[in-house]
Amino acid sequence: MDLVAPVVVEPLRRRRCSECRRGPLERMIVEYGRPVCLDCADLGHLVFLRRGDTALTRRARERSALWAVVVRHNRRRTRYERQGLLVEETALAEAEAACLADTEARARRRARDAERRAVRDAGVTEALRVEILRLFPAMPAARAAEIAAHASAKGSGRVGRTAAGRALDRGAVTAAVHASVRHVDTPYDSLLMRGVPRHRARAQIAPAIEQVLRAWRAPLPGQRDAPGATGATGAEGVPGRTDR
């Protein structure tokens, strides 16, 4: 049978209990459109557990025969948002003890997860760096590494974190290089600071960007005539190069 937990509201305005008339209420339930304090609602013996610790919240809820969800209305978002739970005090104490008992194990697990994420992120950055140099073989190696690291920074939302970037889509990789050239090798930022509209500034620096990209696309000395540098690798034997 599905459980239906009571919903407790943290009111934004001063409210009084419709039964005992006490107030202002810190928390209340709403019955038939009227505010009722926790004592009158038979929830006064519960203690508040603020949201944030997932393991503690889950364990306290599982150990509590009676519990309630605490919400507050967010006017800006026009919705109710969960603040935490009301649980039995003994259940909270047991949950805290259980969490303390496996603190070390959970810390080790978090460290292992963080290490796996770091390895995965490093792999994404390295793959992006290799693809950048494949498309732009004359680019300085340090610059390729810098662009790859910037584009794949965790939580940045940049090209390297997108599905296209992780798939090493040619357009996505080129976009990352294009953005780097725009900010580093042209006066684009200065134009914006002088109040030049973004689209006009981009049009103004477009030739400079193309000049840099054209130079970076050029094959390295000896690469054009390298053994096996023909066929599927490109029209002139340069990996990723096509006729223009």
Side-chain angles (χ1 to χ4, degrees):
M1 182 176 61
D2 293 336
L3 299 178
V4 180
V7 176
V8 173
V9 178
E10 292 184 346
L12 300 180
R13 296 184 294 123
R14 296 169 64 89
R15 305 296 294 270
R16 290 186 174 275
C17 176
S18 61
E19 296 187 9
C20 69
R21 306 306 302 169
R22 283 187 298 178
L25 300 177
E26 180 182 8
R27 299 185 181 94
M28 66 183 192
I29 68 169
V30 179
E31 287 184 341
Y32 306 107
R34 300 179 305 167
V36 179
C37 73
L38 298 187
D39 286 333
C40 291
D42 298 323
L43 299 175
H45 64 293
L46 302 180
V47 295
F48 179 61
L49 172 59
R50 188 169 298 281
R51 66 189 298 260
D53 189 325
T54 303
L56 180 61
T57 298
R58 174 177 53 80
R59 286 171 165 165
R61 185 179 62 235
E62 291 172 350
R63 287 166 167 78
S64 190
L66 176 64
W67 55 277
V69 178
V70 179
V71 299
R72 180 192 301 153
H73 189 256
N74 186 317
R75 288 173 174 167
R76 183 173 60 85
R77 297 182 177 178
T78 63
R79 69 185 185 192
Y80 281 93
E81 297 178 340
R82 181 176 296 206
Q83 304 301 306
L85 297 180
L86 290 175
V87 296
E88 295 172 336
E89 190 169 4
T90 55
L92 178 56
E94 292 174 3
E96 289 173 335
C99 287
L100 285 175
D102 69 357
T103 297
E104 185 176 350
R106 287 191 290 128
R108 288 197 300 268
R109 184 166 61 249
R110 285 195 298 270
R112 288 195 301 270
D113 291 343
E115 184 176 348
R116 282 194 292 268
R117 287 193 297 270
V119 170
R120 184 175 64 249
D121 291 343
V124 170
T125 301
E126 175 60 14
L128 184 57
R129 183 192 70 82
V130 170
E131 182 64 9
I132 288 172
L133 287 176
R134 189 185 74 81
L135 296 176
F136 302 93
M139 179 188 296
R143 184 65 180 278
E146 176 187 328
I147 295 174
H150 180 77
S152 60
K154 183 178 179 181
S156 66
R158 300 186 187 110
V159 168
R161 306 304 299 189
T162 65
R166 290 194 297 270
L168 302 180
D169 175 79
R170 185 188 186 99
V173 175
T174 302
V177 175
H178 196 282
S180 176
V181 174
R182 181 190 306 128
H183 291 288
V184 176
D185 303 288
T186 75
Y188 177 72
D189 294 348
S190 298
L191 292 173
L192 294 183
M193 290 300 295
R194 294 205 300 267
V196 178
R198 177 171 58 89
H199 295 293
R200 187 184 302 171
R202 288 196 174 197
Q204 185 173 330
I205 64 168
I209 292 179
E210 184 54 36
Q211 182 179 358
V212 174
L213 296 185
R214 188 182 302 114
W216 283 351
R217 288 190 186 102
L220 296 173
Q223 197 171 33
R224 182 186 301 273
D225 301 322
T230 60
T233 55
E236 297 183 34
V238 180
R241 184 184 177 100
T242 59
D243 287 333
R244 298 192 300 274

